[in-house]
Amino acid sequence: MSGHGHGHSHGSGGCDHSDDKSGIDRGAEFSLYMKIDLDKVQCLNEQIDGSGKTVFKPWDQRLDKERVVESDADEELLFNIPFTGNVKLKGVIVIGGEDDTHPSSMKLYKNRPQMSFDDTGVEADQEFQVTPDSTGVVEYPTKVVRFSSVTHLTIYFPTNFGADTTKVYYIGLHGDFTEAQRQEILITNYEIRPNPADHKVDSFNPMSHEIQ
């Protein structure tokens, strides 16, 4: 895809091999996919329209290879992910494609809706070097303080391990969710019956208007 650069500088993002918990516990931790506004998710450079949305799925379906997104013009993929409330993002899991199609780097951007490849030159809120992971055992912990109030998350995969295209089967998001507070509309009830004190008028004296 022309018109956007291929940055290759990566921050030192650590990873956590959190595979010592039961499947039920992990499933509960990675339930934020239910808080994504899927109808508004965008995946740029996807081969098949709408396929990017399918990688956000339940933990117990993370190994489902039927639902996959593959990049089109080059190896880059960019996800714009709006939430239905406020998220404290604690970690990300990525199950990528086989061989060299697995992402090799990942950048996270907080609260930057409608990002495009032209916008990825700005500094990411966090960057990771990605390890090939076919089962979802590697979690990339975020800087929780920085990602404590997220309404929109952008995930950008700039590179893979050398293939022409990038594949992603699953993106798991670990964190806490808070419902968005609704704006209360204050309605003031005015008096239906007017207050005479608010409408002072001069008293009409018929004696002062005699016709000569």
Side-chain angles (χ1 to χ4, degrees):
M1 178 173 290
S2 60
H4 55 272
H6 297 256
H8 293 277
S9 60
H10 311 300
S12 56
C15 58
D16 177 18
H17 294 261
S18 301
D19 56 354
D20 57 345
K21 297 183 180 180
S22 71
I24 294 176
D25 290 342
R26 297 296 278 167
E29 288 181 350
F30 286 87
S31 60
L32 281 180
Y33 73 94
M34 295 188 296
K35 306 303 182 181
I36 296 172
D37 191 347
L38 273 179
D39 289 339
K40 297 180 181 178
V41 168
Q42 293 179 325
C43 181
L44 305 187
N45 197 36
E46 57 185 0
Q47 269 190 28
I48 301 174
D49 289 344
S51 58
K53 300 177 182 181
T54 68
V55 303
F56 301 99
K57 49 195 173 186
W59 171 258
D60 59 1
Q61 298 176 22
R62 68 193 184 281
L63 303 181
D64 175 11
K65 298 299 179 71
E66 296 295 322
R67 289 180 283 178
V68 60
V69 61
E70 185 172 0
S71 63
D72 187 15
D74 55 24
E75 76 276 20
E76 297 181 76
L77 283 171
L78 188 149
F79 295 82
N80 282 314
I81 309 160
F83 295 103
T84 58
N86 292 312
V87 165
K88 178 188 289 185
L89 186 66
K90 297 179 179 180
V92 181
I93 279 178
V94 179
I95 297 178
E98 300 78 14
D99 302 323
D100 294 338
T101 64
H102 197 293
S104 61
S105 59
M106 174 174 64
K107 297 184 179 184
L108 304 181
Y109 300 86
K110 168 189 172 183
N111 297 341
R112 290 179 175 269
Q114 307 295 323
M115 277 192 70
S116 69
F117 290 110
D118 292 334
D119 303 318
T120 56
V122 301
E123 183 179 358
D125 290 289
Q126 195 165 356
E127 299 182 37
F128 300 92
Q129 291 181 334
V130 177
T131 301
D133 182 12
S134 60
T135 58
V137 297
V138 182
E139 180 177 349
Y140 301 92
T142 63
K143 302 172 183 176
V144 178
V145 173
R146 181 169 295 183
F147 289 91
S148 61
S149 183
V150 181
T151 57
H152 185 283
L153 177 68
T154 299
I155 301 178
Y156 173 43
F157 298 111
T159 58
N160 59 24
F161 287 93
D164 292 335
T165 61
T166 296
K167 285 184 180 180
V168 174
Y169 289 107
Y170 173 78
I171 296 176
L173 303 176
H174 173 200
D176 300 327
F177 177 80
T178 305
E179 294 285 351
Q181 294 187 359
R182 296 179 179 178
Q183 294 289 335
E184 296 287 341
I185 300 176
L186 181 63
I187 300 176
T188 304
N189 292 318
Y190 292 94
E191 285 185 294
I192 297 176
R193 184 179 299 172
N195 186 345
D198 295 334
H199 305 277
K200 292 182 179 180
V201 294
D202 293 334
S203 298
F204 178 69
N205 186 354
M207 299 302 292
S208 63
H209 292 273
E210 290 182 344
I211 299 175
Q212 301 297 328

